[in-house]
Amino acid sequence: MMLADDCSISEDEASTIRAEADRLLRAAGAVGRFPTPVDEIMAAAKIQVVPIALDEGYLAHVRHKAAEAGRALLSALSKVWGVFDPRARVAFIDPDTPKEKLPFLKLHEGGHAVLPWQSIFGIFEDCRKTLDPETKQVFERQANVFASELLFQLDGFTAEASQSAFSINVPLRLAKRYGASAYASLRRYVSHSNRTCVLIVLNPVVLGEPFGFSCSVRRVISSPSFKRQFGRLSWPTAITPDESLCHMVPLHKRMTGARKVKLTDDNGDRRAFIAEAFKTTHQVFILLHAVETNVHPLILPARPA
Amino acid sequence: MTPPRPKDELPPEIGKYLKELRNSRGFSLREVERLTDGKISNGYLSQLENGEIARPSAIMLHRLAAAYGVDYAVLMERAGFVSESEAPANRAATSVLGELTQEEEEQLLNYLGYLRSQKSKK
């Protein structure tokens, strides 16, 4: 199933989250420091970060009462990367989380603590009440936006990225500087770009019949300009050798260099794009940006006096 | 922005409740706008109270709870964001691979409670 883009939160929510992130960045003295000092930001927010660890004594106690409950706890802990305890103000993080994902994950959990309207999590923990699933999803997207604003120091990343020619290498280089993952950096690069560009995030390649290979589409992130011009474009649920973008998938290498592709905009016009791709253990990224058409000014000869 | 509801639908309880709250505090729509630093415009609040906005956002309810001095959780419940359930769910802020079942979430919350109690003993 394709996931919703974090940009789908409202403008009001986005600007409020940004203001909270700005306040916290300043409180932590984190502006202009690299990589972004995530642990100092969490400390400034008075959030303790603790690795999730199983207490064997507790597990034995739970199992003694009901074996099923013990199984459910183990299963829950195997699924959880991060969980925020609002009452203790503790962010529990899976210690096996890949190192490059840790900063974003910590800040995401921090979002649940800092965004005041998310205090609802701590209020009804003991009751037999349910939070509307759509609202829960919105809260998770808001926490992602909060983490991204902090990690990329508001406009800092975008301003630095705009100093270089548009390329997949730019966010990959800046990822190291800001202490972010390739995934988070590529998403930020596209979602905050003033270019007409789009990022297709694919799940890892699955080799085999009947297609030879297949990668399911996990998420598509568009720049505002791309959304305006290609809003009606539909994406396949998977890239297979039958799809036009199949040649972009780096099967036996890490990257696919720049190639020209064409996409049809909402007016039915075919537009030229440059596509590049990059692969990590967990995802394949295809970045497309529109070829800028330079309109040269028509210079008329001077009229004779 | 939340899409407006068709006029012929009955206004949801939250709109009526918010109007009663505002009146009980003696605030005009414009005073609420001022109290919330313009974050809740008088036009938006009027639409909300008259049931022309089906679902206010949690952030808006949080601002209104602060302006009226009422419990935010009550507004969330009145708006239908939080409801009684035989099998309660979505009570924990989690980043998970897939989804937690109701039983898994229950056990996880119990475990967090246990860890809290251990921490407070130290």
Side-chain angles (χ1 to χ4, degrees), chain A residues 72-94:
Chain A
L73 175 60
L74 284 175
S75 175
L77 292 177
S78 73
K79 290 181 184 178
V80 168
W81 294 334
V83 55
F84 177 64
D85 179 351
R87 295 185 183 177
R89 226 174 155 78
V90 172
F92 291 97
I93 304 290
D94 177 0

Side-chain angles (χ1 to χ4, degrees), chain A residues 3-121:
Chain A
L3 300 170
D5 186 6
D6 294 334
C7 301
S8 55
I9 66 169
S10 72
E11 276 180 36
D12 177 32
E13 288 165 334
S15 65
T16 307
I17 292 166
R18 190 175 171 85
E20 292 287 349
D22 187 20
R23 185 187 56 73
L24 186 52
L25 269 175
R26 290 173 196 282
V31 181
R33 290 173 57 197
F34 303 99
T36 302
V38 171
D39 290 336
E40 288 172 49
I41 291 172
M42 296 297 275
K46 297 184 170 58
I47 302 163
Q48 196 184 354
V49 180
V50 173
I52 303 173
L54 180 63
D55 183 318
E56 293 293 343
Y58 176 82
L59 179 64
H61 169 73
V62 170
R63 278 179 164 156
H64 182 69
K65 288 201 323 194
E68 187 55 42
R71 273 194 292 275
L73 175 60
L74 284 175
S75 175
L77 292 177
S78 73
K79 290 181 184 178
V80 168
W81 294 334
V83 55
F84 177 64
D85 179 351
R87 295 185 183 177
R89 226 174 155 78
V90 172
F92 291 97
I93 304 290
D94 177 0
D96 295 330
T97 303
K99 197 176 140 207
E100 68 277 11
K101 289 185 177 177
L102 265 179
F104 191 93
L105 182 59
K106 287 179 186 175
L107 295 172
H108 170 100
E109 297 307 329
H112 294 307
V114 171
L115 302 177
W117 59 95
Q118 296 206 8
S119 59
I120 197 74
F121 280 121

Side-chain angles (χ1 to χ4, degrees), chain A residues 107-180:
Chain A
L107 295 172
H108 170 100
E109 297 307 329
H112 294 307
V114 171
L115 302 177
W117 59 95
Q118 296 206 8
S119 59
I120 197 74
F121 280 121
I123 295 172
F124 71 107
E125 188 180 307
D126 300 330
C127 317
R128 298 203 66 76
K129 287 180 180 170
T130 284
L131 178 64
D132 163 54
E134 197 182 311
T135 304
K136 168 85 161 43
Q137 282 174 13
V138 170
F139 282 5
E140 293 301 334
R141 288 204 291 273
Q142 290 170 346
N144 281 344
V145 171
F146 178 78
S148 182
E149 291 283 23
L150 283 165
L151 192 53
F152 298 112
Q153 302 191 24
L154 306 174
D155 294 325
F157 176 94
T158 306
E160 280 196 62
S162 69
Q163 303 296 312
S164 306
F166 197 94
S167 158
I168 201 166
N169 293 318
V170 176
L172 295 179
R173 172 170 51 80
L174 288 176
K176 294 188 183 81
R177 177 164 161 81
Y178 283 78

Side-chain angles (χ1 to χ4, degrees), chain A residues 53 75 79 85 117 132, chain B residues 55 72 86 99 104 111 116:
Chain A
S75 175
K79 290 181 184 178
D85 179 351
W117 59 95
D132 163 54
Chain B
R55 277 170 76 91
Y72 166 55
E86 286 292 310
E99 283 182 10
E104 286 166 352
Y111 187 50
R116 261 198 311 269

